[in-house]
């Protein structure tokens, strides 16, 4: 059992004075490339990180406890807190016709919160897998991911795409996951950075996504409007030539999505042929497109990218929704220290809050850690 799973187990015993029926956990993620494409039916390439949310769970009406917060929250209701994620999953399962008994649960996690590393998808995915196992529902993981997304869209009220829940449930150790968000097919793509002397350096800009949810929903609406103008179901179906029919901001938003989809496929081809120089260039192009056309970057993320590239990264880009959160850089392992310190210096010069750096290992998706005695 992982340490984080043991913490959830201990919290359950402390809080409820009983043994849970099972313990499960699910990871956060970083997205290597393919940003703001999932809700247009496009391609994304996330990988799960070695930071997880664990849940110890059993039937009962003791509510939800967490090692991160002192309070216990009820099973029923909705209160705009972290407890809305497990509640939302229970609601989505019930709404899909499954009989869900009242359950109690304790959570523990080490996914940095509000950093764009998908801690909410990790809670949803851990809860969904735990309930599936507890109740022997036999729901395939892809459907569990869709139910997690439904919890987020219809219960929590965030209009996210499918990437984060898919990554949290379907990623495998040492690999990234190419997701076709139209067909919902997912393919495991080996990511052997160590073998090539490379490291994926992640930097948290420490900018919290204040207006993020509103701006995210606006971007999504622009993409849907652009598809409507072009007469295609989703921007996945648009080509570069089609874009000539658009203008202004709509053109910019659509151009990002169309070019980003092409970049994901090129990036996967580059990974398959160990061409990391090309992979890095595509990361840089992705960032420029997110900054200039999709307008979801902030000065802190641009500074990370510029400083990392100047200090020897093969490429770098913001990851996740943008408006703050994290950036990633593909760095020769020998340069990790100097790239991080170049970014820190650039932040200091501009008066930004000191960034936080992480190096994650590509990790397995959600797992059942153990069943009760
Ligand atoms: C958030 C959403 C995802 C995806 C990304 C942007 O992480 O939850 O569905 O849209 O933003 O690529």
């Amino acid at each position: 059992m992982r340490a984080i799973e043991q913490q959830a187990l201990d919290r359950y015993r402390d809080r409820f004075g009983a043994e849970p029926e099972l313990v499960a956990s699910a990871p956060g993620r970083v997205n290597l490339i393919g940003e703001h494409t999932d809700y247009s039916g496009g391609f994304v390439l996330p990988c799960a990180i070695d930071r997880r949310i664990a849940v110890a769970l059993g039937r009962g009406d003791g509510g939800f406890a967490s090692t991160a917060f002192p309070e216990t929250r009820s099973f029923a209701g909705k209160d705009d807190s972290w407890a809305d994620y497990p509640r939302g999953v229970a609601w989505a399962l019930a709404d899909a016709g499954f009989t869900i008994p009242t359950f109690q649960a304790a959570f523990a996690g080490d996914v940095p919160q509000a950093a764009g590393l998908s801690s909410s998808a990790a809670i949803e995915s851990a809860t969904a897998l735990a309930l599936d196992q507890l109740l022997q529902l036999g729901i395939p993981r892809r459907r569990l991911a869709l139910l997690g997304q439904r919890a987020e869209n219809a219960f929590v009220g965030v209009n996210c795409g499918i990437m984060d829940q898919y990554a949290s449930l379907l990623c495998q150790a040492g690999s990234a996951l190419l997701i076709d968000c139209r067909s919902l097919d997912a393919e495991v793509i080996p990511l052997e950075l160590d073998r090539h002397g490379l490291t994926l350096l992640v930097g948290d800009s420490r900018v919290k996504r204040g207006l993020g949810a509103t701006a995210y929903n606006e971007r999504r609406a622009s993409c849907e409007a652009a598809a409507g103008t072009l007469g295609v179901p989703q921007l996945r179906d648009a080509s570069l030539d089609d874009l000539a029919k658009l203008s202004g901001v709509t053109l910019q938003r659509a151009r990002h999505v169309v070019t980003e989809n092409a970049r994901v496929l090129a990036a996967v081809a580059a990974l398959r042929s160990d061409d990391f120089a090309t992979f890095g260039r595509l990361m840089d192009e992705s960032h420029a497109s997110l900054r200039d056309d999709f307008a979801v970057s902030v000065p802190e993320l641009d500074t990370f990218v510029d400083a990392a590239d100047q200090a020897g990264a093969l490429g770098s880009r913001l990851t996740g929704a943008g408006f703050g959160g994290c950036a990633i850089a593909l760095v020769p392992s020998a340069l990790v220290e100097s790239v991080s310190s170049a970014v820190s210096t650039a932040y200091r010069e501009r008066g930004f809050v000191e960034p936080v750096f992480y190096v994650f290992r590509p990790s397995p998706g959600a797992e059942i850690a153990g069943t009760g005695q």
Side-chain angles (χ1 to χ4, degrees):
M1 192 174 277
R2 298 176 174 91
I4 205 71
E5 294 160 347
Q6 185 65 47
Q7 284 176 32
L9 174 60
D10 292 345
R11 183 84 182 102
Y12 188 99
R13 287 172 172 157
D14 283 357
R15 182 65 194 81
F16 304 119
E19 288 297 309
E21 293 180 72
L22 55 79
V23 179
S25 70
R29 62 99 189 90
V30 288
N31 188 20
L32 302 180
I33 194 161
E35 219 64 81
H36 287 279
T37 48
D38 59 352
Y39 51 79
S40 288
F43 299 102
V44 294
L45 188 68
C47 104
I49 60 177
D50 51 348
R51 298 293 192 98
R52 304 174 78 87
I53 305 272
V55 59
L57 187 148
R59 293 173 186 82
D61 60 2
F64 299 143
S66 161
T67 55
F69 306 97
E71 77 271 8
T72 300
R73 303 256 170 193
S74 61
F75 169 83
K78 180 173 185 311
D79 57 12
D80 294 327
S81 77
W82 57 273
D84 283 349
Y85 298 111
R87 288 177 187 136
V89 169
W91 169 83
L93 281 161
D95 195 56
F98 298 101
T99 303
I100 306 299
T102 301
F103 63 90
Q104 58 196 26
F107 294 87
D110 58 5
V111 184
Q113 286 174 35
L117 296 171
S118 291
S119 57
S120 50
I123 305 184
E124 290 155 0
S125 302
T127 306
L129 187 69
L131 287 173
D132 176 68
Q133 172 79 22
L134 177 72
L135 304 170
Q136 295 290 299
L137 302 176
I139 303 174
R141 282 183 181 238
R142 290 169 187 218
R143 184 156 183 224
L144 288 178
L146 287 164
L147 288 165
Q149 183 199 18
R150 179 151 163 69
E152 184 106 19
N153 292 169
F155 191 87
V156 177
V158 177
N159 222 357
C160 66
I162 190 60
M163 169 167 69
D164 305 339
Q165 291 80 9
Y166 242 61
S168 190
L169 277 152
L170 291 156
C171 276
Q172 294 185 14
S175 305
L177 192 72
L178 171 63
I179 309 168
D180 177 334
C181 300
R182 159 69 58 75
S183 69
L184 295 176
D185 283 342
E187 189 181 349
V188 172
I189 309 287
L191 187 65
E192 298 178 312
L193 298 181
D194 278 356
R195 199 158 66 80
H196 297 275
L198 294 169
T199 296
L200 191 69
L201 178 67
V202 179
D204 180 357
S205 69
R206 309 276 302 280
V207 179
K208 300 292 176 212
R209 301 199 272 135
L211 289 172
T214 318
Y216 183 91
N217 289 342
E218 273 169 24
R219 294 299 182 285
R220 187 172 177 149
S222 304
C223 290
E224 284 159 8
T229 306
L230 293 174
V232 293
Q234 288 181 298
L235 280 180
R236 160 71 179 273
D237 306 297
S239 67
L240 271 181
D241 291 345
D242 292 333
L243 298 179
K245 297 175 203 140
L246 300 173
S247 62
V249 168
T250 316
L251 166 63
Q252 289 181 287
R253 304 294 186 256
R255 186 166 56 203
H256 165 70
V257 176
V258 171
T259 57
E260 184 79 350
N261 278 331
R263 280 188 289 271
V264 176
L265 298 180
V268 169
L271 270 188
R272 286 191 166 124
S273 52
D274 295 338
D275 181 357
F276 293 99
T278 297
F279 193 89
R281 180 177 51 73
L282 292 162
M283 289 172 75
D284 288 332
E285 289 174 12
S286 169
H287 185 78
S289 178
L290 287 159
R291 181 191 59 211
D292 302 335
D293 273 348
F294 217 65
V296 293
S297 191
V298 292
E300 286 83 349
L301 293 168
D302 295 340
T303 298
F304 177 102
V305 166
D306 293 345
D309 281 354
Q310 270 170 32
L314 300 184
S316 56
R317 57 183 291 281
L318 70 83
T319 185
F323 313 108
C326 288
I328 53 175
L330 185 63
V331 180
S333 300
L335 296 182
V336 167
E337 293 283 308
S338 50
V339 168
S340 327
S341 81
V343 171
S344 290
T345 303
Y347 267 54
R348 224 170 294 126
E349 283 168 4
R350 288 165 182 73
F352 299 156
V353 180
E354 180 80 15
V356 178
F357 297 98
Y358 302 101
V359 172
F360 299 123
R361 254 173 310 119
S363 296
E367 288 174 352
I368 300 293
T371 44
Q373 297 79 351

